[in-house]
Amino acid sequence: MRVPLRDDLVGQEPYGAPQIDVPVVLNVNENPYPPSDELARAMAEAVVEAARGLNRYPDREAWALRSALAEYLGEGLDASSVWAANGSNEVMQQLCTAFGGPGRRVLTFTPTYSMYPEYARNTLTDYVTVPRRDDHTVDAPLVSAAIAAHSPTLVLLARPNNPTGTGIPLDVIDEICAGTQALVVVDEAYQEFSDEPSAVSLLARHGNLIVSRTMSKAFALAGGRLGYMAAASDIVDACRIVRLPYHLSAQTQAIALVALQHRDELLAQVRALAAGAREFESWLAGRGYDVVPSKANFTLFGRFADRHAVWQGLLDRGVLIRETGPAGYLRASAGTPDEMGALKAALDDIQPQLMGERNHR
Ligand SMILES: Cc1ncc(COP(=O)(O)O)c(C=O)c1O
């Protein structure tokens, strides 16, 4: 029997970067440093404590966690203007559920994060894309013209952008928000790695601004699944309407709280990782690769006539990176110094093959 899948889902593949067990994993922009044994124990103790109450549903509003996240973000925010869910993917899909839907549009600027079309698809929202400038930047005239042309209810702007790493200056965000009634979601998944200040500082000026953040990247908590946003409390309340009840488990809340208390340890490598990515970019440029300037903990580089062959060549040498972004490009996350060494050695090792594969612009 054929299952009665929605027509628009027939033939679709589930999202997912390959999860392959190799020595060097640099494909999903994680922080490569695991928590210390001491911190892992503190998390385990918090889970034991939470387990004592697992016969009851967790705090559906996650007040303690939202207060701690508000305190982390600063700018005088409190829990009523912060919302949390299982990864920022869930936060942004909730936004599309609450503010999108049939007859409504979400606008993005491509190339950008590959999950955005899936939030739209899942929530039956029209998905409209406009290309970025040739250097992958966006600016206020480009965004404003696209908003005028497409009348979206939601605009998704990743800053730094994935997969290009491109930033958006704060004054551009300010101008975009001032010029529209649409909700502007600034996805700052990689904010801690960036040298641009967070758009959280603009929240007091713009009721239509939503800043999405995650603990999956800089915070080294990808497995904990905790994303969050800061926005006006009526936007938070809209997400509370569409969330599933008790969506954040007691364990998730407990672990994320401990992570926030130990933020100094978890964030300790952030500057070194960003510096590692910049150093890798100089190395690539020195080898004649085309490198997209990045403000995040990853780098998009190319151009390869057959990027899949290069990706496979690296994988054969124990290094997993990501086949994503514009044709001919690959993306690598910043790893530990040893991992970056392995990536460079693997690239050099397949260099003779690459010379035939790489196109110089
Ligand atoms: C731009 C961007 N936004 C959001 C996410 C989602 O992260 P999470 O759901 O783990 O918070 C990612 C993950 O790769 C990302 O690259």
Side-chain angles (χ1 to χ4, degrees):
M1 184 197 128
R2 255 193 67 204
V3 292
L5 190 60
R6 251 166 51 186
D7 291 346
D8 62 315
L9 298 179
V10 171
Q12 300 252 333
E13 292 291 326
Y15 166 89
Q19 291 192 303
I20 305 174
D21 189 13
V22 287
V24 180
V25 174
L26 300 174
N27 69 333
V28 284
N29 304 338
E30 298 150 326
N31 185 326
Y33 295 99
S36 64
D37 285 349
E38 196 191 1
L39 178 47
R41 260 195 299 278
M43 289 173 173
E45 277 162 24
V47 170
V48 169
E49 193 49 39
R52 297 204 169 95
L54 282 184
N55 55 315
R56 302 287 181 194
Y57 284 112
D59 175 6
R60 176 172 67 210
E61 302 298 344
W63 282 116
L65 177 58
R66 285 163 62 197
S67 299
L69 290 165
E71 187 263 321
Y72 170 64
L73 290 177
E75 302 289 341
L77 292 173
D78 65 22
S80 67
S81 39
V82 172
W83 180 243
N86 296 281
S88 55
N89 272 308
E90 187 177 44
V91 171
M92 288 185 278
Q93 184 161 288
Q94 288 176 346
L95 289 168
C96 288
T97 309
F99 298 106
R104 293 186 171 205
R105 283 187 204 138
V106 55
L107 171 68
T108 69
F109 294 83
T110 50
T112 194
Y113 182 40
S114 52
M115 276 301 294
Y116 293 163
E118 301 209 10
Y119 312 151
R121 182 201 66 196
N122 294 350
T123 60
L124 304 176
T125 309
D126 287 342
Y127 186 67
V128 183
T129 62
V130 167
R132 292 170 164 260
R133 304 267 184 217
D134 288 346
D135 61 358
H136 303 302
T137 58
V138 294
D139 48 52
L142 178 81
V143 174
S144 301
I147 292 174
H150 299 291
S151 309
T153 47
L154 276 169
V155 182
L156 290 175
L157 286 171
R159 160 185 201 266
N161 185 44
N162 179 9
T164 62
T166 318
I168 307 176
L170 204 57
D171 57 333
V172 172
I173 300 290
D174 198 22
E175 201 179 331
I176 292 167
C177 292
T180 181
Q181 302 285 314
L183 295 180
V184 179
V185 183
V186 175
D187 178 359
E188 291 190 341
Y190 301 95
Q191 176 55 34
E192 287 91 344
F193 296 106
S194 171
D195 56 6
E196 288 177 336
S198 170
V200 165
S201 63
L202 298 177
L203 283 167
R205 291 160 54 85
H206 302 294
N208 60 337
L209 172 64
I210 299 165
V211 182
S212 174
R213 302 280 290 257
T214 184
M215 296 182 80
S216 297
K217 309 297 180 181
F219 249 100
L221 201 71
R225 304 307 296 131
L226 199 288
Y228 56 105
M229 70 170 191
S233 57
D234 51 354
I235 295 174
V236 170
D237 288 343
C239 287
R240 292 175 53 236
I241 293 173
V242 300
R243 62 102 197 275
L244 294 173
Y246 315 108
H247 67 298
L248 269 185
S249 78
Q251 309 90 283
T252 302
Q253 295 186 42
I255 288 178
L257 267 170
V258 174
L260 280 162
Q261 284 153 8
H262 292 78
R263 72 185 71 151
D264 290 349
E265 173 187 329
L266 287 169
L267 295 172
Q269 302 298 332
V270 163
R271 295 272 56 90
L273 286 165
R278 300 305 78 83
E279 193 279 327
F280 178 55
E281 286 153 23
S282 308
W283 181 90
L284 287 166
R287 292 279 197 286
Y289 291 94
D290 186 15
V291 182
V292 179
S294 168
K295 292 189 175 294
N297 63 329
F298 55 81
T299 302
L300 189 69
F301 65 103
R303 256 182 346 172
F304 304 104
D306 183 353
R307 71 172 173 185
H308 182 73
V310 178
W311 179 85
Q312 186 64 55
L314 293 171
L315 186 59
D316 294 343
R317 289 160 179 79
V319 181
L320 177 61
I321 67 169
R322 190 76 180 271
E323 209 179 336
T324 188
Y329 285 82
L330 294 168
R331 193 196 67 200
S333 321
T336 64
D338 282 355
E339 289 170 333
M340 297 315 276
L343 170 60
K344 290 176 189 169
L347 278 169
D348 275 351
D349 194 34
I350 50 179
Q351 185 78 4
Q353 174 193 336
L354 291 183
M355 293 316 281
E357 305 257 354
R358 196 167 72 211
N359 293 334
H360 290 277
R361 282 192 188 192

